[in-house]
Amino acid sequence: MLFRRSFSVQSNKDADTLRKHFLGQHLKIHDLDFEISEKNDAIKVIPHAENSDQVYTLPITRLKFENRPGGCTVRGLSKPRRIDIGGPYLILIFVTFALIAAAVLYIKADAEYIRTVYILTGGALLVFAILWFRMEQGYFDYIRKIKKWVKEHS
């Protein structure tokens, strides 16, 4: 969906070697600990936010190792934790309904309601811009730094 990100990193090391090297590693991003562990035959980068007081939208990144001639390809898929994604989805639903209401008012209402259309549209776009800015500072920054770490250690 909107918050999923994927990446691919080429390495000249073997997939089994990289898998063993990554397992059990910890990485720190913004004073938050991420652990690389194996669950159901998949390697996952999982945040440890139990001790954190602040509310974040944190990614869980799944790493998949594919052998190729001369090395392997590490494919990563990041998506938000289920517990974190409710807030951003509610904000997106609000923005969508505000834009739909503005479109309906623009089509069906008289010219005297055009100011309301502009206010609804501007408010919805402002709320979306704030959401996206906050996600860029937090969630997407975590994903960029996880990708950078995987690239450095491959």
Side-chain angles (χ1 to χ4, degrees):
M1 292 262 307
L2 186 63
F3 299 115
R4 290 183 183 215
R5 295 290 184 261
S6 61
F7 60 88
S8 178
V9 175
Q10 304 292 331
S11 175
N12 55 4
K13 297 178 183 175
D14 185 52
D16 292 330
T17 306
L18 273 180
R19 180 184 288 266
K20 289 177 186 173
H21 176 70
F22 280 8
L23 280 177
Q25 295 274 343
H26 286 264
L27 58 141
K28 271 227 185 280
I29 302 172
H30 300 297
D31 296 326
L32 194 61
D33 183 44
F34 285 78
E35 180 182 2
I36 301 176
S37 62
E38 187 170 19
K39 185 176 181 182
N40 297 338
D41 209 25
I43 303 288
K44 291 187 177 184
V45 182
I46 300 172
H48 289 289
E50 296 87 22
N51 301 330
S52 180
D53 297 344
Q54 297 175 326
V55 178
Y56 298 108
T57 302
L58 298 171
I60 292 180
T61 304
R62 183 179 196 179
L63 300 175
K64 189 176 182 182
F65 300 90
E66 299 173 357
N67 277 321
R68 62 173 174 78
C72 78
T73 302
V74 181
R75 297 194 189 281
L77 173 67
S78 296
K79 60 183 182 178
R81 299 185 308 170
R82 287 185 192 156
I83 195 168
D84 294 338
I85 198 60
Y89 277 164
L90 283 175
I91 293 171
L92 286 177
I93 290 170
F94 167 77
V95 167
T96 303
F97 281 135
L99 290 175
I100 290 171
V104 168
L105 271 177
Y106 183 75
I107 293 169
K108 296 288 184 183
D110 296 333
E112 64 191 45
Y113 292 107
I114 197 73
R115 181 177 288 162
T116 306
V117 170
Y118 292 143
I119 291 171
L120 275 173
T121 304
L125 294 177
L126 177 68
V127 168
F128 181 76
I130 291 170
L131 168 71
W132 201 260
F133 178 74
R134 297 275 308 198
M135 294 293 281
E136 280 292 329
Q137 284 183 326
Y139 174 74
F140 293 122
D141 190 43
Y142 286 117
I143 293 173
R144 282 190 296 271
K145 291 195 169 138
I146 289 170
K147 178 183 176 184
K148 180 182 172 189
W149 188 90
V150 168
K151 189 179 275 190
E152 288 174 355
H153 289 82
S154 291

